[in-house]
């Protein structure tokens, strides 16, 4: 039985704010800690809203993108697409789609990497929408074949059950996923540092619990600092 939950070197944890829609709805108002299944119609609408953004899909072969994961939390639908390639190239989008309403793109980003080992996951990508008063974070990655569930523990005691489907996992929650911290830096040209100085970088504010199919729970798996 393996004990590695976060596949080292599989993918770089990053913050993607290149595609965000500011203002408007307070998405936290309809957020739910446990997702529900999206209808086929909602899945199709969310996919369409995602691939219609030509800037977001640049570098992807849109005709080969397949829907791998879909979940609904309140008025938002999260969809993960990939081309079935190796290494995996994912496209993840969050879409405002109230039941019976129209789909509106909220945020999106790319990720992926090599497939993790059977008992492992990759912390593949995270992006934030940081509109004041309406902050949200999206996490997605890849799972090995023995991974049954992934649980996100975020700031303020918030817990989100991720959706695990077709080799992927994903979740979104209200609030920030990253914070800036400073650490001492050694003098030298690499840090452009003379004497005593410090460097600033991003670190995750969440941890993950990973449940394997045999019931083993790997707790407090941390994302990698930037």
């Amino acid at each position: 039985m393996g004990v590695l939950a976060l596949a080292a070197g599989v993918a770089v944890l990053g913050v993607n704010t290149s595609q965000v829609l500011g203002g408007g709805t307070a998405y936290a108002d309809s957020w739910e800690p446990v997702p529900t299944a999206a209808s086929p119609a909602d899945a199709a609408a969310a996919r369409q809203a995602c691939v219609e953004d030509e800037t977001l899909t640049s570098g992807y072969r849109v005709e080969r993108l397949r829907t791998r994961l879909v979940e609904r939390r309140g008025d938002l639908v999260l969809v993960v697409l990939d081309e079935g390639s190796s290494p995996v190239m994912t496209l993840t989008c969050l879409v405002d789609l109230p039941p019976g309403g129209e789909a509106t793109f909220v945020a999106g980003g790319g990720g992926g990497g090599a497939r993790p080992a059977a008992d492992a996951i990759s912390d593949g990508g995270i992006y934030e929408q940081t509109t004041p008063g309406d902050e949200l974070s999206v996490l997605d990655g890849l799972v090995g074949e023995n991974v049954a569930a992934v649980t996100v523990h975020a700031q303020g005691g918030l817990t989100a059950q991720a959706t695990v489907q077709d080799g992927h996992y994903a979740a979104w929650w209200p609030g920030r996923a990253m914070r800036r911290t400073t650490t001492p830096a050694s003098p030298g040209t690499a840090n452009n540092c003379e004497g005593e100085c410090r460097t600033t970088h991003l670190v995750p504010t969440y941890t993950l619990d990973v449940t394997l199919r045999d019931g083993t729970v790997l707790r407090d798996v941390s994302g990698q600092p930037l």
Side-chain angles (χ1 to χ4, degrees), residues 5 20 23 27 31 43 46 64 67 76 78 88-89 108 146-147 159 164-165 187 190-191 201 213 218:
V20 296
Y27 297 117
W31 180 79
R64 297 191 180 185
T67 302
L76 295 188
L78 182 63
V88 181
M89 289 181 59
N146 292 341
V147 175
T159 298
V164 175
Q165 188 175 320
N191 295 319
H201 54 277
R213 297 194 183 280
L218 308 174

Side-chain angles (χ1 to χ4, degrees), residues 184-189 191-193 195 197:
S186 301
T189 56
N191 295 319
N192 194 25
C193 174
C197 57

Side-chain angles (χ1 to χ4, degrees), residues 75-168:
D75 289 342
L76 295 188
V77 173
L78 182 63
V79 57
V80 178
L81 314 171
D82 74 38
E83 299 177 356
S85 60
S86 181
V88 181
M89 289 181 59
T90 63
L91 182 64
T92 301
C93 291
L94 196 61
V95 176
D96 186 3
L97 183 56
E102 295 185 1
T104 303
F105 177 85
V106 176
R115 285 286 179 192
D119 294 343
I121 69 172
S122 68
D123 208 355
I126 185 161
Y127 51 91
E128 300 176 323
Q129 176 168 300
T130 57
T131 305
D134 191 18
E135 297 174 339
L136 61 83
S137 297
V138 183
L139 176 68
D140 70 271
L142 306 174
V143 300
E145 60 186 15
N146 292 341
V147 175
V150 177
T151 304
V152 181
H153 298 285
Q155 291 186 99
L158 183 149
T159 298
Q161 184 65 51
T163 296
V164 175
Q165 188 175 320
D166 202 9
H168 296 261

Side-chain angles (χ1 to χ4, degrees), residues 26-88:
Y27 297 117
D29 291 348
S30 70
W31 180 79
E32 299 168 351
V34 179
T36 59
S39 69
D42 286 348
R47 171 197 165 85
Q48 187 64 26
C50 185
V51 302
E52 282 180 348
D53 190 303
E54 294 182 358
T55 301
L56 183 66
T57 57
S58 177
Y60 291 89
R61 295 167 294 183
V62 173
E63 71 281 0
R64 297 191 180 185
L65 286 171
R66 298 292 180 266
T67 302
R68 303 299 185 184
L69 178 154
V70 187
E71 65 160 44
R72 172 181 283 283
R73 296 177 198 260
D75 289 342
L76 295 188
V77 173
L78 182 63
V79 57
V80 178
L81 314 171
D82 74 38
E83 299 177 356
S85 60
S86 181
V88 181

